[in-house]
Amino acid sequence: MSRKLKLGAFLPGAGQHVAAWRHPDAATHGALDLEHYKRLAQTAERGLFDAFFLADGLAANFGGRVGSGVSDKGAGFEPVTLFAALSVVTKHIGFIATASTTYEEPYTLARKFASLDYLSNGRAGWNLVTSAGDATARNFGLDRQRPPAERYERANEFVDAVTALWDSWEDDAFIRNKASGQFFDPGKVHAPRHKGRHFSVEGALNVARPPQGYPVLVQAGQSEPGRELAARSAEVVFTAQQNLQDAQAFYRDVKGRLARYGRHPDEIKIMPGVSVYVAPTEEEARAKLEQLNALIHPEAGLALLAGLAGDVDLSRYPLDGPFPELPKSEGFVSRPQMMVDIARKHGFSIRQLYEWVATARGHWTIVGTPVQVADQLQEWFDNEAADGFNVLPPVLPGSLDDFVDLVIPELQRRGIFRTEYEGRTLRENLGLARPGNQFVARREAARAA
């Protein structure tokens, strides 16, 4: 079987572009409209996407001092709750929800993702994030965010605790024998008894082992500790790259780290984000981008850059002047430098930079016909830059319809994308193995010794 690219659909509210909610065809109330999300999920499933992906934050972050708003995503559904509802109106598409290792606890997180995996019949994924930002920290009793090194140390321990909780019960632990009265086999339950620097988790999870063993583990950091966390634990990496060479370097770097954790390169899927403006002609596609950029409120543009650049106040600089040097941040590590690099490479003013970034917040943007879009996606896929892509439609629902109706058929014609789902679970469709139970593996290793 030839290698097929994987596709995630990143579908927030009215769309990915910073001004999406102002577009005449956008679902302005989409972030809190279940019927809107049902349509998106079913359209993505019609397009045979692997997963519906949602980012999430733990602070209201609209940006803009005059209520202009960076997007409609500052007040929307909690992803696991939303995906539980969407799981009953879909059959195949997976659901990757973002949840924080800094502000959540392993037991409750393990429980809700195991529950989502059961509700969806094995279609859940967890995008683990370390949640940068002082505004978020203040919502959880802290004056400022924890340093990156501490957040990533906590994240690594968090994953260990959560996977131990998911392994609390062996797959066949529950007997449920009505005649004998035996509900479960006590020899097949394992209390994690995890004690570390950040967490102490004693007892077994009160949900049976998830259908997938573990929900698919997804990670989105690009910094050095983020890459190491991905190599150690992630099965899908959501990354932001601007060109083939940088994407190849990231792809090879992360996959090259897996061996020291006893992992094979095929055990992780690298999926860069890409925002696609597609139409039957290139002129029509460019007109779509220009229409959206004309709707950017300057306050929203500045707030967007400030959020990506580490909460820096850009309002004191001339809008049409050069993008300034940035102070070091305890929050995002890789994104601020990316902003500086983009501005310097293109000679952008602040205004030009936010117009450029507004399309996809630093992710790759493609504008063109279905053939032109497919050409560029295939170039990355064929040349060790991507195993697939997380597609970020600019305006919803229209841009998702465009991708499904125009780009998917072209990818299928080339033989690089599926014509039907291969498996029943998210893992099966992504080509990822179901993990064994760590407690069973230790027992078998002890017996063999």
Side-chain angles (χ1 to χ4, degrees):
M1 183 181 295
S2 62
R3 179 170 168 256
K4 297 290 193 292
L5 65 80
K6 308 303 178 184
L7 290 178
F10 191 120
L11 306 174
Q16 183 66 24
H17 191 283
V18 68
W21 67 276
R22 299 185 67 191
H23 191 280
D25 298 330
T28 303
H29 303 290
L32 289 169
D33 184 344
L34 180 58
E35 291 302 315
H36 169 66
Y37 275 120
K38 284 169 61 176
R39 175 184 170 180
L40 295 181
Q42 290 168 345
T43 300
E45 187 167 75
R46 175 170 64 85
L48 304 177
F49 276 77
D50 290 271
F52 184 149
F53 182 102
L54 270 184
D56 192 41
L58 296 169
N61 184 24
F62 290 100
R65 293 181 175 82
V66 296
S68 53
V70 167
S71 73
D72 65 332
K73 295 186 292 184
F77 290 119
E78 187 280 317
V80 174
T81 308
L82 172 62
F83 287 156
L86 296 180
S87 70
V88 300
V89 297
T90 54
K91 293 182 179 179
H92 303 286
I93 194 166
F95 297 105
I96 298 174
T98 297
S100 174
T101 58
T102 301
Y103 299 108
E104 297 209 35
E105 289 293 323
Y107 199 95
T108 51
L109 186 143
R111 189 185 190 206
K112 70 181 180 181
F113 275 90
S115 298
L116 179 61
D117 209 40
Y118 272 101
L119 289 168
S120 64
N121 293 314
R123 293 184 283 142
W126 169 33
N127 176 42
L128 61 106
V129 298
T130 62
S131 300
D134 290 340
T136 299
R138 288 191 289 269
N139 288 341
F140 291 86
L142 302 175
D143 292 329
R144 59 181 302 174
Q145 63 189 314
R146 294 182 170 98
E150 182 180 339
R151 295 203 310 273
Y152 277 101
E153 180 185 84
R154 178 183 169 103
N156 279 288
E157 185 183 337
F158 198 111
V159 172
D160 291 344
V162 166
T163 52
L165 284 161
W166 284 332
D167 283 338
S168 296
W169 303 88
E170 296 182 28
D171 290 320
D172 58 350
F174 288 94
I175 299 168
R176 300 183 177 92
N177 188 314
K178 293 183 179 180
S180 70
Q182 186 176 17
F183 193 75
F184 69 93
D185 182 344
K188 294 185 177 183
V189 58
H190 307 276
R193 296 189 177 89
H194 173 92
K195 291 191 181 296
R197 178 181 175 188
H198 299 279
F199 305 106
S200 178
V201 182
E202 175 65 20
L205 190 65
N206 56 351
V207 181
R209 194 164 194 256
Q212 296 184 99
Y214 306 159
V216 174
L217 296 174
V218 184
Q219 198 268 342
Q222 292 183 203
S223 64
E224 176 61 27
R227 295 180 190 216
E228 202 64 24
L229 174 61
R232 180 178 184 265
S233 304
E235 297 168 295
V236 174
V237 177
F238 179 30
T239 178
Q241 306 295 335
Q242 293 297 321
N243 57 65
L244 176 63
Q245 293 72 29
D246 288 348
Q248 287 173 321
F250 180 87
Y251 185 98
R252 293 165 182 166
D253 176 71
V254 171
K255 295 220 174 194
R257 297 173 188 237
L258 268 66
R260 61 175 169 261
Y261 295 105
R263 304 180 68 195
H264 187 276
D266 290 343
E267 294 179 40
I268 195 167
K269 307 298 179 184
I270 308 294
M271 298 177 64
V274 59
S275 185
V276 174
Y277 296 76
V278 63
T281 69
E282 186 176 347
E283 292 74 19
E284 291 174 282
R286 294 204 173 278
K288 291 181 178 183
L289 173 58
E290 290 167 4
Q291 180 186 19
L292 277 168
N293 279 351
L295 295 173
I296 303 172
H297 192 292
E299 286 281 353
L302 289 175
L304 171 64
L305 289 184
L308 293 172
D311 295 326
V312 63
D313 181 9
L314 295 171
S315 63
R316 57 196 179 96
Y317 298 99
L319 200 59
D320 294 305
F323 191 74
E325 293 295 333
L326 297 176
K328 289 186 177 181
S329 169
E330 291 288 353
F332 298 111
V333 177
S334 55
R335 271 311 161 82
Q337 188 57 49
M338 180 187 290
M339 295 301 100
V340 173
D341 291 345
I342 292 169
R344 300 294 178 264
K345 177 180 178 180
H346 298 282
F348 282 159
S349 67
I350 291 176
R351 188 196 304 273
Q352 290 171 322
L353 181 61
Y354 74 57
E355 288 180 346
W356 195 91
V357 172
T359 61
R361 292 165 173 78
H363 291 281
W364 188 28
T365 299
I366 304 177
V367 183
T369 66
V371 170
Q372 290 172 325
V373 171
D375 282 345
Q376 294 183 68
L377 296 178
Q378 185 169 5
E379 182 181 25
W380 283 37
F381 179 63
D382 286 344
N383 290 283
E384 292 191 326
D387 296 307
F389 300 93
N390 231 352
V391 178
L392 294 74
V395 179
L396 293 170
S399 298
L400 179 62
D401 293 334
D402 290 342
F403 193 93
V404 169
D405 294 335
L406 299 175
V407 180
I408 292 293
E410 179 61 25
L411 297 173
Q412 291 171 327
R413 185 186 68 78
R414 297 171 185 223
I416 61 173
F417 189 64
R418 65 168 63 94
T419 55
E420 61 181 359
Y421 284 102
E422 299 88 352
R424 180 182 58 82
T425 69
L426 177 57
R427 283 186 172 279
E428 290 168 351
N429 288 322
L430 287 170
L432 297 169
R434 186 177 188 272
N437 188 303
Q438 61 189 283
F439 296 104
V440 173
R442 289 174 196 164
R443 183 176 65 211
E444 291 176 351
R447 285 175 180 172

